[in-house]
Amino acid sequence: MTTMTIRQLKSISVVLVTFLTQTTQAQIIPSPVKAEYGKGIFLISNTTSIGIPSKQPALAKTADYLATRLQTVRGFKPAIVESLQAPIQFILNAKADSRLGAEGYTLNVTPNNITVQANSPAGIFYGVQTMLQLLPKEIEGKTTRSVSWHIPVVTIIDYPRFAWRGIMLDVSRHFFPKEYVKNYIDQLARYKFNRLHWHLTDDNGWRVEIKSLPKLTEVGAWSVPRTGTFGMNEAPQPGEAATYGGFYTQEDIKEIVQYAKDRYIEILPEVDIPGHSMAAIAAYPELAVTKDPNTKVNPGSNFSKWFGQGKFEMYIDNTLNPTDEKVYQFLDKVFTEVATLFPFEYIHMGGDECYKGYWERDANVQTFMKKNNLKNGEELQSYFSKRVAKIITAKKKKVIGWDEILEGGVAPGVSVMSWRGTKGGIEASHLKHPVVMSPAPMYYLDMRQGDPSVEPPVYGDARLKDVYAFDPFPAEMDTTYVLGGQANLWTEQVPTTPQVEYMTYPRAFAVSETMWSKKNKKDWNGFVKRVEGHFERFDMAGINYARSIYDPIIKVTRPGEQLVIDITTEVDGLDIYYTLDNTIPNQHYPKYSAPVTLPKDVDMVRIITYRNGKPIGKLLSIKTEDLEKRVRK
Ligand code: TNX
């Protein structure tokens, strides 16, 4: 009897340990290059100290980062000791391990100790991130919890596929406060992102304090308040106060830059010129050819028309005058301060979607173009870009811009951020320009990730499954010139911080995996499991995310008279229930198994997904007239 119990207990504990290692080993995002799991666990106790080599302030910071995380959930801060034999030991390689490069690491966990080893402090930081992901999900919590704080025995060798792994955050269309930007940076660091591209200026707000040009933020950072649909809002009314917006003071920026640096994230500042400049023009109308003193910071009202194929018209002038010396003096002041504020080697000069109509209609601009032998608007923008590149280079910074800067020629050495598909990137790489890939729509975090009826009103789609499968580096690229890639969060339809997170996650997980993990190792079902593990972590951390992967995907056709709907899901193993009679479907209603032909008088289709008998996706309620509009020809 007693022996039976012991044997039983043993087998239970074996099952338990296997269970623990199995559930935890599947959780790392981005997936490491190589991980071999062993038997057993390392248990963190109150005597678990963190050892760092002496005179390594960067490692001391990372140790403190780890100790603070553990303190938050355990109520006890591990000691940080200058030692080479602590239970958790950081080791900087005296002689570089050539497999690891500048950001790689090895992580060795045995029942007795943990070593994180790397060629650089960045590598140690990433090893710590992996270690944190191997701890129970409660590590993400904000209060103490009594769970078993263990890490499975494992040997990991890991290093990134690309050196540039970024996210772009647009703070112009909507403003997000300093504390939130720090919070966002902290989230990105956990997924081994190392670049935050900060879109600081646009038509809807100038967000960086420039001391020599105070009106940029006194005037340019504020618009009239609107809560409607961005792009369709009411224009500013005469005498209406501009109360919405904000900006980062130079002190704020220094704080954010340091915060990011401590997490091995470089911040790429973008000043988007010569188009997208309405906020600057509202502050200094003389910067545009039209010099309209009534120009206001745009509150998301409509001022442009899009004709497709990249053709558009702007009804309000949002373009700097490339023929005016004063514009270059202005930009010199801007970039002098931007270059001092941001230590990163690059500055982004924008260059996208520049409307040339006001230039073309201006007699002085035409005279200037003739004199300088510039044949069209593209060549004039190219003239502008080259002069701006010179200004930025004079501040000892490298220049990067959106792929439009290639049009009409660009200065050698200038880097290109490819957004209009992958074409610009391929072309730039062959012209020997360094390239960062951020192609729309897959790497556009403002795109819909689920059904249009329950996602923000935007012009395209990027579902997690497609983003995950997508590799933005086509074989035709000259890879010598590829720096890496990033996903862009444009915020026209992202007014609040929960929405920033909803749009970022889980798609940023897919992006981080493509940028970091080995190519051709993708496995959708395995990825979904890990994503779900991180959903639980986000629940602990209080971070929002989209659960759109559980929503039904609807395809509508009309093979004959009537509409036919075909319903699928991104995630395997979901049950789909639907109704056609305006009742709310659940597991008692018809289960979808094959395409449904809609009877003629149906006016509403409602669909919901279940997993294991519980609702999991959003309830979709779509009017037949809306389904009609979706018919695939
Ligand atoms: C295009 S991408 C833009 C942005 C918009 C975005 C919306 C790029 C360089 N320009 O101004 O916010 O589309 O998806």
Side-chain angles (χ1 to χ4, degrees):
M1 181 67 193
T2 346
T3 47
M4 273 293 286
T5 319
I6 286 171
R7 204 181 295 154
Q8 271 180 341
L9 266 177
K10 265 192 182 161
S11 74
I12 289 172
S13 70
V14 167
V15 170
L16 203 72
V17 167
T18 335
F19 173 73
L20 285 173
T21 48
Q22 273 173 0
T23 49
T24 39
Q25 81 183 49
Q27 302 288 336
I28 305 168
I29 297 179
S31 182
V33 172
K34 196 168 170 203
E36 278 168 9
Y37 291 84
K39 286 209 179 76
I41 55 168
F42 175 94
L43 196 65
I44 292 178
S45 74
N46 286 0
T47 58
T48 311
S49 57
I50 305 170
I52 53 171
S54 60
K55 301 204 188 67
Q56 290 290 344
L59 296 197
K61 270 195 179 164
T62 299
D64 191 65
Y65 171 94
L66 174 60
T68 307
R69 292 283 298 273
L70 286 166
Q71 181 185 22
T72 307
V73 293
R74 296 184 72 248
F76 181 87
K77 189 169 183 177
I80 298 166
V81 292
E82 287 199 351
S83 150
L84 293 172
Q85 279 159 5
I88 299 176
Q89 183 63 49
F90 294 174
I91 301 172
L92 266 191
N93 292 323
K95 192 171 156 286
D97 177 340
S98 62
R99 297 170 305 175
L100 303 182
E103 295 177 296
Y105 64 91
T106 57
L107 172 66
N108 271 293
V109 181
T110 73
N112 301 319
N113 51 49
I114 297 179
T115 44
V116 190
Q117 200 161 341
N119 298 333
S120 69
I124 300 288
F125 182 76
Y126 295 131
V128 165
Q129 290 304 338
T130 297
M131 200 175 127
L132 286 163
Q133 292 195 13
L134 287 165
L135 277 158
K137 64 173 189 283
E138 287 78 6
I139 185 71
E140 301 295 339
K142 289 177 178 155
T143 49
T144 55
R145 316 221 176 204
S146 48
V147 298
S148 151
W149 295 104
H150 63 269
I151 300 184
V153 166
V154 67
T155 304
I156 293 177
I157 301 174
D158 198 16
Y159 46 85
R161 181 176 167 207
F162 290 106
W164 185 301
R165 305 177 302 277
I167 293 287
M168 187 215 78
L169 179 65
D170 169 5
V171 293
S172 174
R173 272 55 180 270
H174 285 101
F175 178 71
F176 308 109
K178 173 186 81 176
E179 280 312 319
Y180 185 75
V181 175
K182 285 164 66 179
N183 193 344
Y184 193 64
I185 286 169
D186 199 34
Q187 294 164 21
L188 297 179
R190 297 174 189 208
Y191 296 95
K192 303 186 174 78
F193 284 103
N194 65 355
R195 301 282 182 267
L196 178 75
H197 169 176
W198 212 5
H199 187 76
L200 286 164
T201 76
D202 211 301
D203 301 313
N204 319 96
W206 182 283
R207 308 296 182 204
V208 46
E209 178 189 24
I210 302 296
K211 293 208 161 135
S212 58
L213 296 159
K215 279 204 266 177
L216 280 175
T217 43
E218 280 165 18
V219 176
W222 305 96
S223 73
V224 298
R226 293 290 182 270
T227 43
T229 301
F230 197 99
M232 285 160 48
N233 284 335
E234 186 187 38
Q237 297 301 297
E240 193 183 0
T243 53
Y244 175 79
F247 64 93
Y248 309 100
T249 65
Q250 297 206 345
E251 285 312 305
D252 291 342
I253 288 184
K254 283 181 203 150
E255 190 181 323
I256 291 171
V257 164
Q258 185 59 46
Y259 192 84
K261 197 172 177 349
D262 290 344
R263 286 157 184 74
Y264 297 90
I265 292 182
E266 298 278 5
I267 300 189
L268 168 70
E270 178 184 352
V271 176
D272 196 357
I273 47 173
H276 286 278
S277 294
M278 206 185 296
I281 294 168
Y284 298 100
E286 62 274 20
L287 296 172
V289 289
T290 46
K291 299 187 171 40
D292 180 355
N294 294 316
T295 305
K296 297 278 182 292
V297 176
N298 181 273
S301 59
N302 184 9
F303 68 93
S304 60
K305 192 156 181 183
W306 298 81
F307 306 107
Q309 255 96 52
K311 300 254 181 304
F312 51 87
E313 194 179 332
M314 306 281 180
Y315 303 128
I316 302 175
D317 188 4
N318 66 344
T319 314
L320 302 182
N321 179 359
T323 69
D324 186 350
E325 281 311 308
K326 283 199 217 72
V327 166
Y328 298 102
Q329 285 156 17
F330 163 85
L331 291 173
D332 195 282
K333 286 186 186 163
V334 169
F335 286 118
T336 300
E337 296 192 33
V338 168
T340 338
L341 278 174
F342 293 92
F344 187 40
E345 56 175 342
Y346 275 98
I347 289 178
H348 197 303
M349 57 173 282
D352 60 314
E353 298 175 332
C354 169
Y355 178 61
K356 285 118 187 159
Y358 295 95
W359 298 350
E360 282 158 6
R361 291 193 286 272
D362 186 272
N364 294 331
V365 173
Q366 290 309 314
T367 315
F368 180 92
M369 284 173 69
K370 280 204 195 87
K371 210 175 102 200
N372 289 277
N373 198 23
L374 301 165
K375 287 189 267 315
N376 51 39
E378 283 69 33
E379 290 193 10
L380 182 53
Q381 185 178 348
S382 161
Y383 166 88
F384 173 85
S385 302
K386 284 178 186 150
R387 288 207 51 184
V388 174
K390 241 190 213 158
I391 294 176
I392 296 175
T393 313
K395 318 285 170 218
K396 307 258 181 306
K397 296 287 182 182
K398 292 183 181 167
V399 182
I400 190 164
W402 298 112
D403 56 45
E404 281 95 332
I405 63 169
L406 285 172
E407 290 165 0
V410 61
V414 168
S415 300
V416 172
M417 203 169 258
S418 176
W419 74 275
R420 294 177 300 180
T422 50
K423 220 178 90 254
I426 299 170
E427 189 189 327
S429 74
H430 290 290
L431 294 168
K432 302 193 186 323
H433 293 289
V435 183
V436 174
M437 297 304 284
S438 61
M442 279 305 128
Y443 272 30
Y444 268 39
L445 296 173
D446 57 327
M447 297 293 103
R448 290 181 294 254
Q449 48 199 322
D451 192 84
S453 65
V454 287
E455 300 288 348
V458 289
Y459 57 90
D461 301 279
R463 283 188 180 263
L464 181 69
K465 191 171 184 179
D466 302 320
V467 177
Y468 180 69
F470 180 69
D471 193 90
F473 309 99
E476 308 96 277
M477 289 194 83
D478 185 345
T479 47
T480 358
Y481 293 97
V482 174
L483 300 174
Q486 64 179 45
N488 300 333
L489 183 57
W490 301 103
T491 58
E492 287 95 328
Q493 308 304 336
V494 184
T496 60
T497 59
Q499 192 65 7
V500 166
E501 292 168 0
Y502 180 91
M503 300 308 281
T504 304
Y505 307 109
R507 290 179 296 184
F509 298 158
V511 174
S512 98
E513 189 125 330
T514 300
M515 293 308 133
W516 180 284
S517 308
K518 280 241 171 291
K519 205 189 163 186
N520 298 332
K521 279 201 135 182
K522 289 188 177 170
D523 157 24
W524 168 245
N525 290 326
F527 180 65
V528 168
K529 283 213 187 74
R530 285 183 286 131
V531 165
E532 293 187 313
H534 285 254
F535 282 176
E536 289 182 18
R537 289 177 171 258
F538 274 23
D539 289 340
M540 284 283 164
I543 302 171
N544 194 24
Y545 56 91
R547 297 168 59 84
S548 311
I549 47 168
Y550 302 119
D551 296 348
I553 305 174
I554 306 160
K555 282 202 189 91
V556 195
T557 53
R558 197 204 308 265
E561 281 282 286
Q562 283 136 274
L563 293 182
V564 174
I565 54 169
D566 180 317
I567 315 173
T568 52
T569 57
E570 269 177 271
V571 174
D572 287 349
L574 305 188
D575 298 319
I576 302 166
Y577 297 96
Y578 70 98
T579 64
L580 304 177
D581 57 4
N582 251 321
T583 51
I584 306 292
N586 63 24
Q587 74 276 32
H588 303 293
Y589 286 75
K591 184 164 160 177
Y592 176 88
S593 59
V596 180
T597 303
L598 298 190
K600 269 197 174 143
D601 55 349
V602 169
D603 62 35
M604 179 80 89
V605 176
R606 298 194 200 258
I607 314 170
I608 193 160
T609 53
Y610 271 61
R611 183 159 70 185
N612 302 329
K614 296 212 172 69
I616 192 162
K618 298 184 199 90
L619 170 69
L620 303 187
S621 301
I622 312 172
K623 288 196 149 97
T624 311
E625 62 194 70
D626 292 326
L627 290 172
E628 299 256 2
K629 291 181 201 145
R630 299 190 195 178
V631 171
R632 297 219 169 162
K633 299 275 153 48

